[in-house]
Amino acid sequence: MTTYLDSGPYVPEPTFEAWLEKQGLPDIYVSIFDWENERLQ
């Protein structure tokens, strides 16, 4: 049987930039939604 700790309610990061930092990803991804298809691929 698996038990899970109750970590409380999910609290999202206030900004996409803060989420990237928490994940350890570079700041360059901040503008990822503005990239052209060629750059995404």
Side-chain angles (χ1 to χ4, degrees):
M1 184 171 144
T2 303
T3 57
Y4 297 95
L5 296 176
D6 182 9
S7 60
Y10 172 70
V11 179
E13 296 299 322
T15 63
F16 183 55
E17 292 86 350
W19 181 85
L20 286 173
E21 183 178 330
K22 185 176 180 181
Q23 301 302 314
L25 297 170
D27 290 342
I28 192 163
Y29 293 141
V30 170
S31 62
I32 197 168
F33 299 107
D34 297 327
W35 290 0
E36 299 295 327
N37 286 340
E38 294 79 24
R39 188 169 179 193
L40 289 171
Q41 297 172 353

XYZ file of all heavy atoms in Angstrom:
345
model
N 0.844 -1.178 0.000
C 0.000 0.000 0.000
C 0.890 1.243 0.000
O 1.902 1.292 0.686
C -0.888 -0.006 1.239
C -1.857 1.131 1.279
S -2.996 0.846 2.635
C -3.232 2.485 3.157
N 0.486 2.213 -0.768
C 1.249 3.457 -0.860
C 0.545 4.542 -0.058
O -0.668 4.677 -0.120
C 1.359 3.912 -2.323
O 1.952 2.861 -3.075
C 2.185 5.160 -2.443
N 1.326 5.291 0.667
C 0.766 6.431 1.393
C 1.439 7.697 0.893
O 2.610 7.693 0.513
C 0.975 6.291 2.905
O 2.369 6.150 3.166
C 0.234 5.089 3.468
N 0.709 8.766 0.889
C 1.206 10.049 0.427
C 1.145 11.057 1.560
O 0.179 11.082 2.329
C 0.368 10.559 -0.753
C 0.432 9.662 -1.955
C -0.544 8.691 -2.181
C 1.471 9.773 -2.869
C -0.485 7.858 -3.287
C 1.539 8.947 -3.971
C 0.561 7.989 -4.176
O 0.627 7.176 -5.277
N 2.148 11.887 1.640
C 2.137 12.964 2.622
C 1.197 14.063 2.150
O 1.138 14.378 0.971
C 3.539 13.544 2.796
C 4.590 12.596 3.361
C 5.944 13.290 3.368
C 4.205 12.138 4.751
N 0.477 14.641 3.073
C -0.404 15.750 2.724
C 0.427 17.026 2.720
O 0.773 17.562 3.775
C -1.548 15.869 3.724
C -2.519 16.980 3.372
O -2.401 17.552 2.270
O -3.395 17.281 4.192
N 0.791 17.480 1.533
C 1.616 18.683 1.418
C 0.775 19.943 1.359
O 1.291 21.035 1.124
C 2.506 18.587 0.180
O 1.708 18.474 -0.978
N -0.526 19.822 1.528
C -1.410 20.973 1.502
C -1.858 21.278 0.093
O -1.564 20.546 -0.848
N -2.565 22.377 -0.069
C -3.072 22.728 -1.401
C -1.942 23.151 -2.338
O -0.895 23.636 -1.901
C -4.025 23.895 -1.133
C -3.539 24.492 0.138
C -2.962 23.346 0.942
N -2.173 22.955 -3.627
C -1.198 23.362 -4.629
C -1.164 24.882 -4.724
O -2.201 25.528 -4.845
C -1.572 22.764 -5.989
C -0.717 23.287 -7.119
C 0.617 22.928 -7.223
C -1.240 24.150 -8.071
C 1.409 23.395 -8.250
C -0.451 24.629 -9.106
C 0.868 24.247 -9.185
O 1.648 24.725 -10.198
N 0.013 25.434 -4.630
C 0.192 26.879 -4.757
C 1.106 27.111 -5.959
O 2.301 26.823 -5.893
C 0.810 27.492 -3.490
C 0.997 28.992 -3.655
C -0.044 27.178 -2.277
N 0.555 27.601 -7.076
C 1.381 27.802 -8.265
C 2.359 28.960 -8.088
O 2.163 29.848 -7.256
C 0.350 28.127 -9.349
C -0.800 28.718 -8.614
C -0.822 28.016 -7.270
N 3.412 28.922 -8.872
C 4.363 30.030 -8.878
C 3.653 31.272 -9.419
O 2.782 31.163 -10.293
C 5.557 29.695 -9.763
C 6.368 28.523 -9.260
C 6.952 28.750 -7.887
O 7.376 29.869 -7.569
O 6.978 27.781 -7.114
N 3.999 32.452 -8.943
C 3.285 33.667 -9.373
C 3.523 34.046 -10.835
O 2.678 34.686 -11.449
C 3.820 34.756 -8.442
C 5.131 34.228 -7.957
C 5.002 32.725 -7.942
N 4.670 33.644 -11.392
C 4.985 33.990 -12.777
C 5.642 32.809 -13.472
O 6.157 31.895 -12.823
C 5.954 35.190 -12.861
O 7.188 34.804 -12.245
C 5.395 36.428 -12.188
N 5.624 32.848 -14.795
C 6.304 31.829 -15.582
C 7.802 31.867 -15.312
O 8.460 30.834 -15.217
C 6.006 32.037 -17.067
C 6.599 30.994 -17.968
C 6.350 29.650 -17.765
C 7.405 31.355 -19.034
C 6.895 28.676 -18.604
C 7.948 30.393 -19.874
C 7.691 29.055 -19.654
N 8.344 33.066 -15.143
C 9.765 33.216 -14.850
C 10.127 32.525 -13.537
O 11.156 31.852 -13.436
C 10.156 34.696 -14.786
C 10.094 35.403 -16.107
C 8.700 35.948 -16.440
O 7.722 35.627 -15.728
O 8.589 36.683 -17.427
N 9.285 32.679 -12.519
C 9.530 32.043 -11.222
C 9.460 30.525 -11.354
O 10.244 29.803 -10.730
C 8.525 32.542 -10.190
N 8.534 30.027 -12.176
C 8.416 28.582 -12.386
C 9.670 28.033 -13.072
O 10.185 26.998 -12.689
C 7.172 28.276 -13.213
C 6.985 26.827 -13.443
C 6.369 25.927 -12.620
C 7.445 26.077 -14.585
N 6.418 24.671 -13.175
C 7.073 24.725 -14.383
C 8.116 26.406 -15.753
C 7.360 23.725 -15.298
C 8.408 25.410 -16.666
C 8.031 24.094 -16.439
N 10.156 28.773 -14.095
C 11.382 28.350 -14.774
C 12.546 28.262 -13.796
O 13.313 27.302 -13.810
C 11.732 29.329 -15.901
C 10.888 29.269 -17.156
C 11.252 30.429 -18.095
C 11.044 27.947 -17.874
N 12.666 29.270 -12.949
C 13.761 29.290 -11.976
C 13.651 28.109 -11.021
O 14.643 27.444 -10.723
C 13.724 30.598 -11.191
C 14.856 30.739 -10.201
C 14.828 32.068 -9.474
O 14.351 33.053 -10.062
O 15.287 32.101 -8.327
N 12.451 27.813 -10.560
C 12.242 26.684 -9.643
C 12.597 25.356 -10.307
O 13.116 24.452 -9.658
C 10.782 26.663 -9.179
C 10.502 25.604 -8.143
C 9.067 25.686 -7.655
C 8.778 24.630 -6.606
N 7.395 24.691 -6.149
N 12.349 25.249 -11.614
C 12.656 24.023 -12.350
C 14.133 23.947 -12.751
O 14.581 22.925 -13.270
C 11.784 23.930 -13.618
C 10.299 23.933 -13.356
C 9.859 22.795 -12.456
O 10.253 21.662 -12.646
N 9.031 23.102 -11.487
N 14.870 25.042 -12.564
C 16.282 25.064 -12.929
C 16.511 25.256 -14.418
O 17.553 24.874 -14.936
N 15.534 25.851 -15.100
C 15.641 26.075 -16.539
C 16.151 27.488 -16.819
O 15.911 28.409 -16.041
C 14.269 25.871 -17.196
C 13.707 24.452 -17.070
C 12.263 24.400 -17.527
C 14.550 23.480 -17.858
N 16.845 27.687 -17.945
C 17.405 29.009 -18.253
C 16.321 30.039 -18.570
O 15.239 29.712 -19.047
C 18.282 28.754 -19.476
C 17.850 27.456 -20.032
C 17.214 26.678 -18.941
N 16.655 31.300 -18.311
C 15.725 32.410 -18.541
C 15.372 32.604 -20.009
O 14.392 33.268 -20.316
C 16.315 33.722 -18.014
C 16.363 33.740 -16.492
O 15.651 32.934 -15.867
O 17.114 34.560 -15.940
N 16.165 32.043 -20.910
C 15.895 32.217 -22.342
C 14.517 31.667 -22.716
O 13.914 32.095 -23.685
C 16.998 31.589 -23.202
C 16.865 32.039 -24.650
C 16.966 30.082 -23.112
C 18.096 31.827 -25.478
N 14.011 30.721 -21.944
C 12.714 30.121 -22.243
C 11.531 31.045 -21.926
O 10.396 30.718 -22.229
C 12.540 28.813 -21.495
C 13.474 27.721 -21.951
C 14.047 26.853 -21.033
C 13.793 27.552 -23.288
C 14.902 25.848 -21.443
C 14.651 26.558 -23.708
C 15.198 25.708 -22.781
O 16.047 24.718 -23.183
N 11.779 32.191 -21.322
C 10.701 33.133 -21.013
C 9.944 33.520 -22.280
O 8.723 33.617 -22.280
C 11.259 34.392 -20.302
C 10.208 35.472 -20.207
C 11.769 34.022 -18.919
N 10.662 33.678 -23.368
C 10.029 34.115 -24.613
C 9.662 32.951 -25.534
O 9.388 33.159 -26.714
C 10.966 35.075 -25.354
O 12.162 34.400 -25.699
N 9.611 31.733 -25.012
C 9.400 30.545 -25.847
C 8.098 30.606 -26.649
O 8.009 30.085 -27.746
C 9.450 29.256 -24.995
C 9.655 28.031 -25.887
C 8.215 29.115 -24.129
C 9.991 26.774 -25.124
N 7.089 31.268 -26.133
C 5.807 31.328 -26.834
C 5.837 32.278 -28.025
O 4.916 32.295 -28.838
C 4.690 31.709 -25.868
C 4.530 30.704 -24.752
C 4.933 31.006 -23.457
C 4.011 29.448 -25.001
C 4.803 30.078 -22.439
C 3.875 28.506 -23.979
C 4.278 28.835 -22.703
N 6.901 33.059 -28.138
C 7.060 33.979 -29.261
C 8.019 33.442 -30.319
O 8.224 34.082 -31.338
C 7.581 35.332 -28.764
C 6.605 36.005 -27.821
O 5.383 35.841 -27.998
O 7.070 36.693 -26.892
N 8.617 32.279 -30.086
C 9.588 31.719 -31.016
C 8.911 31.264 -32.303
O 7.765 30.837 -32.313
C 10.299 30.538 -30.400
C 11.239 30.866 -29.285
C 11.519 32.097 -28.779
C 11.995 29.938 -28.521
N 12.408 31.985 -27.750
C 12.719 30.683 -27.575
C 12.144 28.561 -28.551
C 13.578 30.077 -26.664
C 12.997 27.966 -27.643
C 13.708 28.729 -26.713
N 9.663 31.335 -33.390
C 9.204 30.825 -34.683
C 9.268 29.292 -34.668
O 10.005 28.705 -33.883
C 10.093 31.363 -35.803
C 10.080 32.879 -35.932
C 8.719 33.415 -36.333
O 7.997 32.730 -37.070
O 8.386 34.511 -35.883
N 8.516 28.653 -35.535
C 8.481 27.187 -35.597
C 9.861 26.582 -35.805
O 10.188 25.549 -35.220
C 7.535 26.713 -36.693
C 6.088 26.885 -36.307
O 5.765 26.998 -35.138
N 5.213 26.887 -37.301
N 10.680 27.213 -36.637
C 12.005 26.676 -36.909
C 12.848 26.611 -35.635
O 13.597 25.669 -35.415
C 12.733 27.515 -37.968
C 12.108 27.464 -39.344
C 10.875 28.364 -39.487
O 10.730 29.350 -38.723
O 10.036 28.062 -40.352
N 12.738 27.612 -34.807
C 13.522 27.639 -33.564
C 12.996 26.602 -32.560
O 13.766 25.999 -31.822
C 13.460 29.022 -32.950
C 14.398 29.166 -31.761
C 14.524 30.586 -31.318
N 15.420 30.666 -30.173
C 15.544 31.714 -29.412
N 14.849 32.799 -29.681
N 16.366 31.704 -28.392
N 11.698 26.380 -32.556
C 11.128 25.386 -31.654
C 11.568 23.975 -32.030
O 11.795 23.136 -31.169
C 9.594 25.451 -31.670
C 8.988 26.683 -31.006
C 7.497 26.727 -31.291
C 9.250 26.661 -29.514
N 11.683 23.718 -33.324
C 12.048 22.391 -33.772
C 13.528 22.189 -33.643
O 14.051 21.156 -33.506
C 11.604 22.166 -35.214
C 10.099 22.234 -35.318
C 9.598 22.207 -36.752
O 10.370 22.260 -37.692
N 8.310 22.138 -36.910
